[in-house]
Amino acid sequence: MRLSVLDRSRVRAGHGHPEALRDTVAFARQAEQLGYHRFWVSEHHGVPGVAGSAPTVLAAAVAAATSTIRVGTGGVMLPNHQPLVVAEQFGVLESLFPGRIDMGLGRSVGFIEAVRKALGHDKEDAAEFGPRLAELLGYFTGTQAVRGYPADGLRVAPFVLATGAGARVAAAHGVPLVIGAFRGEDAMIDAITAYRTAFRPSTWAADPYVVISSTVAVADTTEDAWRLLLPEAWAMAYSRTRGEFPPLSAPDDILAHPMTDRERTLFEQSLQGHVHGTPPEVAKALDALVDRTGADEVLVTTSTHDRGAMLDSYRLLAGLYL
């Protein structure tokens, strides 16, 4: 199975944003040593618990610190940027690290209204994702009135990060799809089916290519793997009640923290739908997920408070497949 990594540069309680970014670069080196196929970084603005706000800058640091693993973005949120500038940035990355750069693109805008205002955009801008994607790809193929140097003529691998609507955009432009079960597995499978059905071969891909993103936590015991999920689950519940993501807390602190009924419900909901367990349990569950979706690749998105335990999880997962 082809396995890749998306690291969102999550901040841990008691640590700062600069350390989270340095941890991402160190993690990329470790992922390369373990044999993972890609290492992607993300774009989040104004989020206290996420340091990754400039993905093309961070991707350059990751690519410079590694030598063989593919490096990219998961993703650049295209409604926040002018397509010409994005093309130029990826043209620079591909020129410096030829044959290793992936251009993952999303349609999300800022997390809250204040962030969207600071970026100069609003929710409606997400509807322009399709035209912006077409413009961006045109700078690489030389079909725009303005030439996007140094992107002009280069072949940077594009991917669309999507839910339902984005999957249709990916199919129409003939590019690979990256999708997670954010709206439930049935909705994800429906979107994948629609993508494959509507896919139009292009200069970027002759056939549909599906990457499913998932949290995968592996440990020596099922309970230890479950504990790896707690920091992100609590951060999600916290964000839905307070409007911001906090730094990741230690599992013992989370379990000892008094929760309101709503927080408890959201926390338990956030623990659902992930792959976790011992190596044999994870292999069985992940194989079944790939069978149900027909995925070509799995993008692992696991974050947790204990980075040593997180790396052990990725190491155990690599031992199953790589």
Side-chain angles (χ1 to χ4, degrees):
M1 184 185 298
R2 181 173 279 181
L3 292 175
S4 298
V5 177
L6 169 63
D7 188 67
R8 289 174 292 149
S9 304
R10 293 291 271 114
V11 179
R12 293 174 290 153
H15 301 264
H17 289 77
E19 183 176 354
L21 294 170
R22 293 191 292 268
D23 285 343
T24 289
V25 176
F27 180 29
R29 296 192 193 99
Q30 294 160 335
E32 180 176 70
Q33 292 169 0
L34 291 171
Y36 283 88
H37 183 58
R38 311 178 200 275
F39 191 95
W40 284 4
V41 296
S42 64
E43 177 182 336
H44 295 274
H45 299 282
V47 182
V50 184
S53 58
T56 54
V57 177
L58 185 53
V62 168
T66 56
S67 58
T68 57
I69 196 169
R70 295 192 65 87
V71 176
T73 55
V76 167
M77 297 299 118
L78 198 50
N80 294 335
H81 310 282
Q82 292 298 325
L84 173 60
V85 175
V86 175
E88 291 169 340
Q89 291 171 344
F90 278 97
V92 170
L93 286 170
E94 177 65 20
S95 298
L96 295 175
F97 309 101
R100 293 179 56 207
I101 300 301
D102 297 327
M103 184 171 60
L105 306 160
R107 65 191 295 270
S108 297
V109 289
F111 182 58
I112 58 175
E113 184 177 354
V115 170
R116 292 191 291 270
K117 183 178 180 180
L119 291 169
H121 297 282
D122 56 36
K123 287 184 177 180
E124 287 68 31
D125 290 343
E128 297 301 313
F129 179 61
R132 282 175 173 259
L133 176 61
E135 180 184 346
L136 170 59
L137 297 178
Y139 290 118
F140 290 93
T141 57
T143 56
Q144 297 296 335
V146 174
R147 307 303 286 268
Y149 303 114
D152 187 60
L154 295 182
R155 303 289 298 172
V156 178
F159 295 77
V160 165
L161 283 65
T163 54
R168 292 191 292 272
V169 173
H173 289 82
V175 300
L177 171 70
V178 183
I179 190 167
F182 306 111
R183 299 178 180 175
E185 187 176 304
D186 288 344
M188 177 180 71
I189 292 175
D190 287 345
I192 291 172
T193 300
Y195 163 74
R196 290 196 175 106
T197 300
F199 183 86
R200 297 168 57 185
S202 72
T203 186
W204 305 103
D207 301 293
Y209 189 89
V210 175
V211 182
I212 55 171
S213 65
S214 178
T215 297
V216 183
V218 196
D220 292 332
T221 69
T222 305
E223 181 179 356
D224 285 344
W226 175 77
R227 287 172 64 86
L228 290 176
L229 303 175
L230 300 184
E232 278 283 13
W234 171 242
M236 181 63 72
Y238 187 101
S239 73
R240 294 179 67 182
T241 54
R242 295 170 176 82
E244 65 178 43
F245 275 87
L248 297 177
S249 299
D252 288 343
D253 293 340
I254 294 168
L255 294 174
H257 182 78
M259 299 185 193
T260 66
D261 289 345
R262 183 162 185 263
E263 286 173 339
R264 175 66 62 182
T265 298
L266 293 170
F267 176 61
E268 291 176 352
Q269 289 175 349
S270 296
L271 287 169
Q272 303 302 311
H274 307 300
V275 176
H276 76 283
T278 63
E281 292 170 338
V282 165
K284 181 179 179 180
L286 197 56
D287 288 347
L289 177 61
V290 170
D291 285 344
R292 290 194 298 273
T293 60
D296 300 285
E297 184 175 337
V298 177
L299 182 68
V300 184
T301 63
T302 309
S303 297
T304 194
H305 178 267
D306 186 336
R307 292 196 68 84
M310 185 187 79
L311 181 60
D312 287 342
S313 176
Y314 277 95
R315 185 179 292 112
L316 288 169
L317 181 60
L320 290 172
Y321 296 103
L322 304 179

